Amino acid sequence: MDQYEVRKFHGWHYHILTLMLAHYFLWHLKIRLGKKVPTITPSQLRLLLRAVLPMRSFDIEMVIWLV
């Protein structure tokens, strides 16, 4: 949360919103998958989203493999 440089409220608001969505996504994965998947860091999440978002469909096994 400390790695941002903004000059106006809009930039700060965008950064915090993105941060909260990423945090929610991480916790949702952790709760849904339980101990099948290790806890991932935000940098790992960034790589995962870059790999998964361009795909039209994916399954949980592929996501776990990517992690």
Side-chain angles (χ1 to χ4, degrees):
M1 197 158 118
D2 65 338
Q3 297 178 2
Y4 67 93
E5 294 179 18
V6 297
R7 297 176 187 230
K8 300 194 181 214
F9 178 75
H10 180 72
W12 179 83
H13 188 263
Y14 177 77
H15 174 74
I16 296 300
L17 177 64
T18 307
L19 178 89
M20 292 172 84
L21 286 172
H23 186 71
Y24 171 76
F25 180 75
L26 287 172
W27 275 105
H28 180 73
L29 275 180
K30 185 68 175 169
I31 290 169
R32 185 172 175 199
L33 299 175
K35 294 186 178 189
K36 293 180 189 175
V37 136
T39 304
I40 59 177
T41 65
S43 61
Q44 290 172 329
L45 175 65
R46 188 178 311 122
L47 293 173
L48 176 65
L49 289 176
R50 281 187 195 155
V52 170
L53 286 179
M55 297 178 188
R56 292 184 181 247
S57 65
F58 57 91
D59 57 350
I60 294 297
E61 289 80 23
M62 181 186 294
V63 173
I64 291 172
W65 180 81
L66 288 170
V67 171

